[in-house]
Amino acid sequence: MSSLRQIENFINGRFVSPQSAAYLTSDNPSSGEAHLRVPRSASADVAAAVQAARDAFPAWSALRAEERADWLTRIADQIDARAEEFAEAESLDQGKPVKLARQMDIARASTNFRFFAGVVRQELSVAAPLDARTFSYVRREPIGVAGLISPWNLPLYLLTWKLAPALAYGNTAVAKPSELTSLTASLLAEVFRDVGLPPGVANLVFGLGAEAGQALVEHPDVPVISFTGGTVTGRKLAITAAPLLKKLSLELGGKNPTLVFDDANLDRDLAAIVRSSFLNQGEICLCGSRLYVHAKIYESFVERFVREVESLKVGDPRDPETFMGPLVSREHLVKVKSYIAWAKDAGLQVRTGGEAPVNLPEALRGGFFLRPTVITSATKRLDQTNKIQQEEVFGPVVTISAFETFDEVIAQANSTRYGLSASVWTESLSRAHEAAARLHAGTVWVNGWMLRDLRLPFGGVKDSGLGREGQLDSLHLFTEPKTVTIRYGDAT
Ligand code: NAD
């Protein structure tokens, strides 16, 4: 019998084993050893969770918005009270530094609940007079049971970005976190239990995408699905959900360009450009992975960039000095390294990185570490049709390519199937606006990166997704508008 820590599904307010009694094991990416048993749920478990969510829906959706907001605030308070435990668990399970988990993931998770609690407290609905005796108003009605599917890179952050609005707007939910990073979702279930959230309002079913995830998308009583993950998976979901006429939000992959013009203030912004490339081991859908640098400053930029990258500490995620921990899994490390091998075979230059750090302590030698990697070409320009310019690597690997003209760099930036985000580094206001207008992306940052205003739409164009999430966008996703028109008084 294994001595690994084990988590359970959370259905109808109770922790329950999967009906098959089957479990997956999940690795600690720092050691490479199994550390967690995760339920391998199947359609029967999903069906039980959906039933619980359906049963809870009438009472939950009938609460006043303010009462639901109070529940969300209690959940946020509990996450904050256990923030250190959450941060350590996220780091253990995902590989990211504890410090980053504390500052970004866990802080944002409680903010997600507080934000949507605030939003629903303030919400107004539209009313419009048609003539002296006729007026209309719009009711925003929750849809029912929301199916929420989230990835492994920002596990609690992205799960709560879906759960908070789904619940705030009066839906109940069944969530399926990534099988690679289920631990903090299980802690969140403890929070639901501890605050006394009514049973069935929020349910968590763990397991594989092709099994538990697919069963959730197929379930006839789940009319809305919010998914964040890879583009290939998103396409599969769309194919399943389309004939069932489900509402679907897809937040998918990216291959984000970073445009560095010759007037960029690198003394101020170089560190931010490095961070935008490698934060969270480069495992953020928003990380810039294709850098385009004006030919005039290309040489000096590459030299400074590489020097800065080499100063980043890669290693033990518990060390507060560590900037990058291990990648999430052995399989993912193999995939990321295959792109580096491809680049070498194609005659490109690996300027730094490409290997695990040397001198890792004994306990971390089996971990999935990779130094931040910078790839260039001897010609200074990469062929934009190359695999490494076109495909999402989703790890600590960037390319740097030189450009001469504005039109050229915009065309190169737009030359992939993706369109999630872009960053532009320049001191010219008109160039910044022109680039923002012409880039194919859901979000464009100028002289900054990952600055998020939760009120505003978030999502991608082209293969980076369908739909948006944010204050109004999540309202539109998780509710249906009903227009009511009333005529009153005597007919004349
Ligand atoms: P993934 O697509 O492999 O898995 C995402 C989730 O979907 C997991 O919970 C998985 O179990 C589930 N899943 C897999 N197959 C399924 C199926 N057939 N039906 C239902 N669910 C299924 O993605 P990943 O590897 O976990 O995450 C990395 C990807 O996520 C990257 O492409 C990254 O860019 C993307 N991402 C996008 C955003 C965004 O906001 N656009 C944010 C973070 C990550």
Side-chain angles (χ1 to χ4, degrees), residues 140 143 223-226 241 245-249 475-481:
R140 276 273 164 196
I143 301 178
V224 53
I225 302 281
S226 171
L245 300 177
K246 296 191 178 208
K247 275 184 107 171
L248 189 60
S249 162
L475 171 72
H476 293 159
L477 176 64
F478 289 117
T479 63
E480 288 289 7

Side-chain angles (χ1 to χ4, degrees), residues 217 225 234-248:
V217 179
I225 302 281
R235 194 166 276 128
K236 236 183 255 171
L237 256 75
I239 290 169
T240 307
L244 301 168
L245 300 177
K246 296 191 178 208
K247 275 184 107 171
L248 189 60

Side-chain angles (χ1 to χ4, degrees), residues 410-450:
I410 296 292
Q412 291 181 340
N414 287 341
S415 70
T416 74
R417 296 180 299 125
Y418 293 105
L420 190 58
S421 72
S423 69
V424 178
W425 306 83
T426 179
E427 293 297 286
S428 159
L429 190 59
S430 58
R431 188 184 273 156
H433 281 299
E434 181 73 14
R438 288 176 56 186
L439 285 165
H440 300 163
T443 298
V444 177
W445 281 289
V446 177
N447 296 337
W449 176 74
M450 226 174 140

Side-chain angles (χ1 to χ4, degrees), residues 149-154 158 161 176-180 207-217 227-234 236-237 240 250-254 283-286 332 335 392 394 418 420 458-460 464-465:
I149 300 176
S150 50
W152 50 256
N153 64 324
L154 304 171
L158 289 172
W161 178 236
K176 208 297 285 171
S178 168
E179 58 274 26
L180 297 177
L208 297 172
E211 298 174 357
Q214 183 74 21
L216 185 57
V217 179
F227 170 81
T228 299
T231 297
V232 171
T233 317
K236 236 183 255 171
L237 256 75
T240 307
L250 299 175
E251 304 288 344
L252 308 179
E283 296 167 333
I284 300 184
C285 54
L286 303 167
H332 191 54
K335 180 191 148 190
E392 183 183 40
F394 210 53
Y418 293 105
L420 190 58
F458 178 83
S464 289

Side-chain angles (χ1 to χ4, degrees), residues 115-128:
F115 174 76
F116 281 103
V119 166
V120 294
R121 281 198 176 98
Q122 305 289 336
E123 204 185 315
L124 297 171
S125 79
V126 172

